[in-house]
Amino acid sequence: MAPTTDNAGYTADPGRARASLEALRAEIAKAVVGQDPAVTGLVVALLCRGHVLLEGVPGVAKTLLVRALASALELDTKRVQFTPDLMPSDITGSLVYDARTAEFSFQPGPVFTNLLLADEINRTPPKTQSSLLEAMEERQVTVDGTPRPLPDPFLVAATQNPVEYEGTYPLPEAQLDRFLLKLTIPLPSRQEEIDVLTRHADGFNPRDLHAAGVRPVAGPADLEAARAAVAKTAISPEITAYVVDICRATRESPSLTLGVSPRGATALLATARAWAWLTGRDYVIPDDVKALALPTLRHRVHLRPEAEMEGVTADSVITAILTHVPVPR
């Protein structure tokens, strides 16, 4: 099939699409210092039509990261600050009465975008948190019985603060399972922090990405071509069995009360496939599964209280499982 071109002039060619998505790191680095794993995770989520939970302390550029990604992909982005008094209609939109026409018209909410940054999602009650579930799963919003489709691509990047839990509403396991990846945003290294301060001293304005030199390096057609290529990436029966064995091992771990569901196994297979394609292969190998196991599975397991008191973490349990599950040859 010959490459096609979209309205923005981007060629829908798999080879060019891979090169363009790889160029995202350099483009986003003009605004965000470091955080390459988070950038890769967001790209993987876009390729898999999934969503991302970003966890990190305030001030590590989570918002800037999503805005820079949207600019480099020329996608629309909106941000919602989740608060205890936020209502579901503040996210999805609502019907507004027009006195001139004596009719109700739909006013779209911020969820009608390509990249939605749900900032501090655990600070709003479950009723408002759940307003995102239909959007995340069905790619639509139903208001007054009428379903309204969301734009494509559509990605929710939700953030939560891992150190302050007062006044928060932890996400239930069923909702956590809707996120394809959970990415941890670490504090920068000493040199990276020096680079951040140097940029600000030189006049960098995080609210003006255009002045920082961030330019679109890929477009919707590139993303669509990449998704089509990912779908053709070969998965052997041995790799499928390897993914299943890893997920089943979490259900048998003495440190966990909840293991990975079949949905989690499907997610791991999908993210490994996307990672294989991004690294230049048209087939999946065990290392691809290992590379995406932690971000794909860490939020899908639940620790026993006694294990948590002993300092065991979800990451350490999954890492131990990866060590013990036989790797196919």
Side-chain angles (χ1 to χ4, degrees):
M1 184 177 67
T4 59
T5 304
D6 71 354
N7 294 334
Y10 296 112
T11 303
D13 174 71
R16 183 197 184 283
R18 182 188 286 116
S20 298
L21 293 176
E22 288 174 351
L24 281 175
R25 287 190 184 90
E27 203 63 25
I28 293 174
K30 296 177 181 178
V32 181
V33 176
Q35 310 298 7
D36 277 358
V39 174
T40 301
L42 287 166
V43 173
V44 166
L46 282 168
L47 291 177
C48 298
R49 291 181 168 88
H51 307 284
V52 176
L53 183 62
L54 301 170
E55 187 172 89
V57 299
V60 289
K62 297 186 292 292
T63 302
L64 182 60
L65 176 63
V66 175
R67 288 180 53 239
L69 176 67
S71 295
L73 282 173
E74 204 168 40
L75 298 175
D76 182 48
T77 182
K78 289 185 175 69
R79 174 181 176 272
V80 178
Q81 179 65 51
F82 280 68
T83 57
D85 60 348
L86 197 71
M87 298 296 292
S89 59
D90 294 329
I91 299 170
T92 61
S94 59
L95 295 175
V96 178
Y97 182 73
D98 189 339
R100 292 174 298 178
T101 62
E103 294 180 348
F104 285 92
S105 61
F106 178 68
Q107 184 66 36
V111 75
F112 287 85
T113 186
N114 296 124
L115 270 69
L116 176 68
L117 178 63
D119 222 348
E120 293 191 291
I121 189 172
N122 58 335
R123 289 211 170 274
T124 200
K127 181 179 180 179
T128 305
Q129 291 176 7
S130 65
S131 65
L132 278 177
L133 288 180
E134 182 188 12
M136 294 168 66
E137 192 70 20
E138 306 296 336
R139 300 300 198 274
Q140 68 177 24
V141 167
T142 301
V143 177
D144 197 33
T146 302
R148 293 173 170 83
L150 295 172
D152 185 38
F154 173 68
L155 179 145
V156 174
T159 73
Q160 63 179 14
N161 184 344
V163 296
E164 186 182 353
Y165 293 106
E166 185 177 351
T168 64
Y169 303 83
L171 300 179
E173 280 72 18
Q175 188 166 352
L176 283 170
D177 206 33
R178 294 299 198 281
F179 287 97
L180 182 73
L181 300 171
K182 179 182 178 181
L183 305 175
T184 55
I185 310 296
L187 288 166
S189 66
R190 181 177 182 274
Q191 186 55 53
E192 288 173 342
E193 197 162 0
I194 289 173
D195 292 343
V196 170
L197 268 63
T198 301
R199 289 187 181 190
H200 281 265
D202 291 340
F204 171 71
N205 182 1
R207 297 173 184 81
D208 189 355
L209 295 178
H210 185 78
V214 179
R215 301 289 185 270
V217 294
D222 288 319
L223 194 55
E224 196 57 41
R227 286 172 171 176
V230 168
K232 296 177 182 177
T233 302
I235 302 173
S236 69
E238 292 78 13
I239 292 296
T240 302
Y242 182 50
V243 170
V244 169
D245 289 343
I246 291 171
C247 294
R248 290 182 69 86
T250 64
R251 302 168 204 163
E252 299 167 1
S253 171
S255 298
L256 302 176
T257 59
L258 178 69
V260 177
S261 68
R263 178 191 286 153
T266 302
L268 180 55
L269 198 64
T271 55
R273 204 179 202 181
W275 175 246
W277 181 82
L278 279 173
T279 52
R281 277 179 284 101
D282 59 359
Y283 57 92
V284 181
I285 62 174
D287 283 349
D288 300 323
V289 177
K290 290 181 178 181
L292 272 298
L294 285 179
T296 308
L297 304 181
R298 60 164 57 110
H299 57 297
R300 303 175 193 271
V301 299
H302 196 274
L303 288 168
R304 291 186 182 278
E306 54 269 29
E308 203 165 1
M309 290 177 63
E310 293 172 0
V312 176
T313 64
D315 283 15
S316 64
V317 173
I318 295 169
T319 300
I321 287 172
L322 292 174
T323 303
H324 290 99
V325 172
V327 179
R329 298 186 180 276

